Amino acid sequence: QVHLVESGGGLVQAGGSLRLSCAASGRTINTYTMGWFRQAPGKDRDIVAAISWNGGNTYYADSVKGRFTISRDNAKNTMYLHMNSLKPEDTAVYYCAVGGRRWYFSVVSTEYDYWGQGTQVTVSS
């Protein structure tokens, strides 16, 4: 069992920055893909970014390319999302997740087995 806790969300003005963290416990996650998803009110939960087990492969949604950076520190069992040039449309609850199969890279939410409780990011205009 993996327990994930997100932190770092909050209220920021458009153009500002935030760094989200996702701390994992219960099991070492250094052989699993990790990802960030977000869900805005009335919308589906969508992939934001994903990172392979060793950080060698990353994926970004088109809407965040060039503004967000995903990273991980396997020694700390932690993943990060650096968010720059934030826009009001980035407002959502952000969730971190751990993939269900070792070594396997996926950006599909159904391929992720463990989820955090979410952290709210609100960007004001």
Side-chain angles (χ1 to χ4, degrees), residues 4-28:
L4 302 173
V5 178
E6 301 100 336
S7 60
L11 173 64
V12 64
Q13 288 188 332
S17 299
L18 285 173
R19 187 186 79 160
L20 304 183
S21 298
C22 172
S25 61
R27 189 180 78 193
T28 301

Side-chain angles (χ1 to χ4, degrees), residues 78-90:
T78 301
M79 176 179 64
Y80 305 97
L81 186 67
H82 297 257
M83 305 186 294
N84 297 319
S85 303
L86 282 161
K87 304 176 181 180
E89 50 263 44
D90 293 319

Side-chain angles (χ1 to χ4, degrees), residues 22-104:
C22 172
S25 61
R27 189 180 78 193
T28 301
I29 46 81
N30 60 2
T31 58
Y32 295 87
T33 291
M34 296 185 74
W36 288 98
F37 295 76
R38 69 185 180 187
Q39 187 168 22
K43 296 188 176 182
D44 294 334
R45 186 177 299 187
D46 293 325
I47 182 79
V48 175
I51 186 166
S52 61
W53 64 276
N54 63 351
N57 193 8
T58 58
Y59 168 88
Y60 295 94
D62 287 343
S63 59
V64 307
K65 280 181 182 176
R67 300 188 298 121
F68 291 10
T69 302
I70 190 171
S71 61
R72 65 190 295 167
D73 185 339
N74 284 339
K76 296 181 178 179
N77 244 21
T78 301
M79 176 179 64
Y80 305 97
L81 186 67
H82 297 257
M83 305 186 294
N84 297 319
S85 303
L86 282 161
K87 304 176 181 180
E89 50 263 44
D90 293 319
T91 295
V93 178
Y94 284 70
Y95 299 89
C96 69
V98 174
R101 285 189 279 170
R102 297 178 71 186
W103 323 116
Y104 182 69

